[in-house]
Amino acid sequence: MGWWDSLWPSSSSNDDPLRKLDPKLREFLARESPVKYGTAQEKEEKTKKASAPAAEEEQQQRGKGEDQEKNKPLVPRESQFQDGRYAHLWKTYRPLAEIEAETKSDHEKLMDVLEGYKERRNQIGKAALENCALEQVNWRDCMTNPTLGERMTLCRDQIKKFERCYMTQTRLLKALGYLSTYDRSPEVEEDIQMHADTLYHRMMAQEAEIAAARDAGLPVPKFPPLIPRAPAPAPTAGEQIQQPKQQQQQHGEEEELTQEQLGVLKAKLKKVAEEDRVAEEEALRAEWRAKAEIAARVEGLWSQQERDRQARKERGEETMWDKVSGAFRGGDGKK
């Protein structure tokens, strides 16, 4: 069918420059010629080999997507039936907080951040009261049905015990990072609250052992700190040269304090009993970290507002408020 190929040459035959030569001559040229001519079959094999890794990556991505879909719960956690019943009714469900977040203004988002920080203090106080429920009961029993000695001292011991419990639990909750992150689940926060209560009772047991050893004239036992501070990993010389700013952001903000903060820390620790200084120091550090996180979130909101304003200005949709705010921020931007 040579006449057919001459009329309708195939692409494979055109790609092969040695197609009309004798097979023995082909072998000789392939062996002796410095210029190697690739046949159409060899080119197809090369393209298949080149496309094989891409196909494997696509298959891996598809497999990951399928695994995520399989691990995804059938119904959200708001459903009363976690076994998958009524899953077809929950397909289009969206949490109320997500819908409200889309319709909130920039000012409302900023106020939510500040109100969340204020509410955190109230919630820490409530959690500390829950952990000190037994001390509250003892205080109330003393006030309602006191003995003669308790009547003479006006329940001073019970009040001191409750105040000590409340202050220590508050410090431990702050030091452990209770409600310091907004995207944590309530189960994790409850675990932190229970762990703080466990640490408090462990501290009370340690103080009882120390008091008993002193009364018996024995050496005072030493215990590891309740909240050990994890040391920052020592960076290598290459990391110090390449990433000095990143290390300062990761480790310096948490461990290094400013001179003003160090002065405040020392002044406050002097007013605290020696056995409570470790918890107080960790609570202050955790409080400063929470404030830094709030400041970072507020700065992020302001940056996002500025980007949105610039985008509206480029589209020609700048509002009157954008012009006013841009005029006030113009001096800062020039600086």
Side-chain angles (χ1 to χ4, degrees):
M1 299 294 289
W3 60 273
W4 181 263
D5 293 335
S6 63
L7 292 177
W8 306 99
S10 61
S11 60
S12 62
S13 61
N14 290 334
D15 293 338
D16 189 359
L18 307 177
R19 64 185 183 278
K20 295 181 180 180
L21 298 179
D22 186 72
K24 294 182 179 179
L25 182 58
R26 280 191 191 182
E27 294 178 2
F28 176 77
L29 289 176
R31 185 173 62 254
E32 302 293 338
S33 177
V35 181
K36 303 297 180 181
Y37 294 96
T39 62
Q41 184 177 3
E42 292 177 353
K43 292 182 178 180
E44 289 179 359
E45 292 178 355
K46 290 181 180 179
T47 54
K48 288 180 180 179
K49 291 180 179 179
S51 60
E56 291 179 358
E57 290 180 359
E58 291 181 359
Q59 290 180 356
Q60 291 178 358
Q61 292 178 356
R62 290 177 183 176
K64 291 180 180 178
E66 292 177 356
D67 293 339
Q68 291 178 357
E69 292 180 357
K70 291 180 180 179
N71 297 330
K72 186 178 179 181
L74 299 175
V75 292
R77 61 182 181 181
E78 287 81 3
S79 176
Q80 184 180 0
F81 307 100
Q82 292 296 319
D83 56 356
R85 281 182 285 178
Y86 311 112
H88 62 286
L89 299 176
W90 290 94
K91 284 184 178 180
T92 57
Y93 170 77
R94 295 177 62 193
L96 180 61
E98 181 181 347
I99 298 174
E100 290 179 348
E102 294 179 355
T103 58
K104 284 182 180 179
S105 62
D106 297 335
H107 177 70
E108 289 175 342
K109 293 179 181 178
L110 181 61
M111 292 305 297
D112 286 345
V113 174
L114 299 178
E115 290 295 333
Y117 178 72
K118 294 179 182 178
E119 184 64 21
R120 174 177 173 268
R121 292 187 174 184
N122 298 332
Q123 293 298 328
I124 288 176
K126 291 180 181 179
L129 287 176
E130 289 179 2
N131 289 350
C132 297
L134 295 178
E135 287 76 8
Q136 281 183 287
V137 171
N138 294 335
W139 182 14
R140 184 176 180 180
D141 292 342
C142 177
M143 298 296 292
T144 55
N145 189 18
T147 62
L148 181 59
E150 293 171 347
R151 192 185 298 272
M152 295 295 293
T153 58
L154 298 178
C155 302
R156 186 184 308 165
D157 296 338
Q158 286 77 5
I159 294 174
K160 286 185 177 180
K161 188 176 181 181
F162 169 74
E163 290 178 350
R164 173 79 186 285
C165 176
Y166 180 78
M167 293 300 297
T168 306
Q169 292 277 1
T170 303
R171 291 166 182 161
L172 291 173
L173 287 169
K174 290 180 180 180
L176 293 174
Y178 183 72
L179 295 178
S180 61
T181 306
Y182 293 93
D183 55 354
R184 269 204 300 247
S185 62
E187 291 79 9
V188 177
E189 302 294 351
E190 187 177 357
D191 292 340
I192 294 175
Q193 181 180 354
M194 296 175 64
H195 186 55
D197 191 37
T198 303
L199 292 179
Y200 171 74
H201 290 289
R202 187 185 302 171
M203 184 176 67
M204 293 294 103
Q206 292 176 1
E207 290 182 0
E209 292 182 16
I210 292 173
R214 286 176 179 173
D215 295 339
L218 300 175
V220 177
K222 295 183 180 181
F223 302 98
L226 294 175
I227 308 174
R229 189 184 308 166
T236 60
E239 292 176 348
Q240 289 179 354
I241 296 174
Q242 295 176 1
Q243 300 177 347
K245 293 183 179 179
Q246 184 177 1
Q247 291 173 358
Q248 290 178 1
Q249 292 178 355
Q250 291 179 353
H251 307 298
E253 291 180 0
E254 294 184 0
E255 299 300 331
E256 295 181 2
L257 301 178
T258 62
Q259 294 296 329
E260 182 181 358
Q261 289 176 341
L262 286 174
V264 173
L265 181 63
K266 291 179 180 179
K268 289 191 175 183
L269 291 180
K270 288 181 181 178
K271 302 177 183 179
V272 181
E274 185 177 356
E275 60 271 12
D276 297 333
R277 287 181 181 176
V278 176
E280 179 67 16
E281 181 180 355
E282 294 300 327
L284 288 173
R285 290 177 179 271
E287 195 69 16
W288 285 326
R289 286 195 295 268
K291 288 182 180 180
E293 183 181 355
I294 293 298
R297 293 192 64 186
V298 172
E299 186 177 356
L301 288 175
W302 284 344
S303 301
Q304 184 63 35
Q305 291 176 11
E306 183 63 21
R307 288 193 295 268
D308 294 342
R309 189 181 70 82
Q310 292 295 336
R312 288 193 297 269
K313 184 178 180 180
E314 292 176 359
R315 294 195 305 265
E317 301 175 356
E318 190 176 14
T319 62
M320 183 62 67
W321 176 251
D322 291 338
K323 295 179 181 179
V324 173
S325 61
F328 281 105
R329 296 179 182 178
D332 298 336
K334 291 178 183 178
K335 292 179 183 179

